[in-house]
Amino acid sequence: MPVNIPDLEKMMDQYGDDILRLCWLYLKDIHLAEDALQDTFIKAYRKYGTYNRQASERTWLISIAMNVCKNYLRTSWFKRVITVDKIDEHLMKNCNNNILVLERDNGEILEQIMNLSPKHKEVILLYYYQQFKINEIAEILKMKESTVAVRLSRAREKLKQSMERWYYHGQVRQSE
């Protein structure tokens, strides 16, 4: 096999689950996430000649996936409301502990993450769910490490503030 042609099957086996998980968290719809996964690998295949190998293959693919998801979110078709109930329902039916660990029964943490602005949501998803380091996130998002660190800090603060309504002095407040 020539050097310029990627081994797509190997890439899909190695990175497919992580990319699907990221797309699903980003788009909040499993079917759109599957489409985004396919588009990601199609783009990777077409653009493999431009891959400069300064970043890891995983980092390069995640960067493509993030851009595909952002493009999906920009379309007028996507600008419909997807309720958090659909996310929770999918979590209960289809996700095992390795895919997403929620500390709360009804998915309040995931709901709060999904309510963050896109710039804060993407750093949280990449840092906590994809387990990228700050320097890798900076590379994926094409920004300075300090910018990523500030966004991550601000996103954590926003999550802390939004979660305070469920917590009161160390005890979970009952839903009214």
Side-chain angles (χ1 to χ4, degrees), residues 11 44 47-48 50-51 55-64:
M11 286 172 33
K47 299 290 185 180
Y48 198 75
T50 65
Y51 171 48
S56 71
E57 197 171 63
R58 178 177 182 254
T59 301
W60 180 66
L61 287 169
I62 292 288
S63 179
I64 293 171

Side-chain angles (χ1 to χ4, degrees), residues 8-27 29-45 58 60-62 64-70 72 130:
L8 268 183
E9 189 173 342
K10 178 184 169 202
M11 286 172 33
M12 284 187 243
D13 287 343
Q14 200 166 7
Y15 308 114
D17 289 343
D18 286 343
I19 294 171
L20 178 61
R21 186 177 313 117
L22 176 71
C23 292
W24 180 76
L25 288 168
Y26 210 88
L27 297 170
D29 183 299
I30 190 64
H31 302 293
L32 282 176
E34 290 168 345
D35 290 346
L37 175 68
Q38 288 177 351
D39 287 347
T40 297
F41 283 111
I42 289 169
K43 286 181 187 252
Y45 183 79
R58 178 177 182 254
W60 180 66
L61 287 169
I62 292 288
I64 293 171
M66 295 281 299
N67 288 330
V68 166
C69 289
K70 286 177 186 177
Y72 276 35
Q130 292 296 319

Side-chain angles (χ1 to χ4, degrees), residues 152-173:
L152 189 57
S153 174
R154 288 181 180 160
R156 287 179 185 138
E157 185 60 35
K158 287 180 183 291
L159 283 173
K160 179 182 172 190
Q161 289 172 1
S162 67
M163 293 304 294
E164 284 177 351
R165 66 181 148 147
W166 282 288
Y167 291 96
Y168 183 71
H169 296 292
Q171 294 185 6
V172 178
R173 291 170 52 178

Side-chain angles (χ1 to χ4, degrees), residues 86-97:
K86 281 177 126 178
I87 295 171
D88 290 338
E89 178 183 308
H90 180 77
L91 283 174
M92 300 300 182
K93 289 181 182 175
N94 299 325
C95 292
N96 62 33
N97 289 337

Side-chain angles (χ1 to χ4, degrees), residues 34-170:
E34 290 168 345
D35 290 346
L37 175 68
Q38 288 177 351
D39 287 347
T40 297
F41 283 111
I42 289 169
K43 286 181 187 252
Y45 183 79
R46 289 182 178 157
K47 299 290 185 180
Y48 198 75
T50 65
Y51 171 48
N52 60 19
R53 291 175 179 64
Q54 288 179 341
S56 71
E57 197 171 63
R58 178 177 182 254
T59 301
W60 180 66
L61 287 169
I62 292 288
S63 179
I64 293 171
M66 295 281 299
N67 288 330
V68 166
C69 289
K70 286 177 186 177
N71 288 340
Y72 276 35
L73 292 173
R74 285 186 196 116
T75 65
S76 60
W77 177 84
F78 190 82
K79 295 188 182 192
R80 59 185 168 80
V81 177
I82 299 176
T83 64
V84 175
D85 294 337
K86 281 177 126 178
I87 295 171
D88 290 338
E89 178 183 308
H90 180 77
L91 283 174
M92 300 300 182
K93 289 181 182 175
N94 299 325
C95 292
N96 62 33
N97 289 337
N98 294 331
I99 290 180
L100 184 61
V101 177
L102 293 176
E103 297 174 15
R104 314 267 301 131
D105 291 340
N106 296 322
E108 289 93 354
I109 294 172
L110 180 60
E111 179 180 353
Q112 295 308 314
I113 290 170
M114 293 306 169
N115 288 334
L116 291 172
S117 67
K119 68 182 185 179
H120 291 123
K121 178 171 44 176
E122 68 189 2
V123 294
I124 290 289
L125 293 177
L126 289 171
Y127 189 80
Y128 289 104
Y129 289 94
Q130 292 296 319
Q131 299 178 343
F132 279 107
K133 296 176 183 158
I134 289 177
N135 64 329
E136 294 171 319
I137 296 170
E139 193 173 314
I140 290 168
L141 299 178
K142 296 176 178 41
M143 61 180 60
K144 294 179 181 179
E145 288 181 32
S146 59
T147 303
V148 172
V150 167
R151 284 187 182 180
L152 189 57
S153 174
R154 288 181 180 160
R156 287 179 185 138
E157 185 60 35
K158 287 180 183 291
L159 283 173
K160 179 182 172 190
Q161 289 172 1
S162 67
M163 293 304 294
E164 284 177 351
R165 66 181 148 147
W166 282 288
Y167 291 96
Y168 183 71
H169 296 292

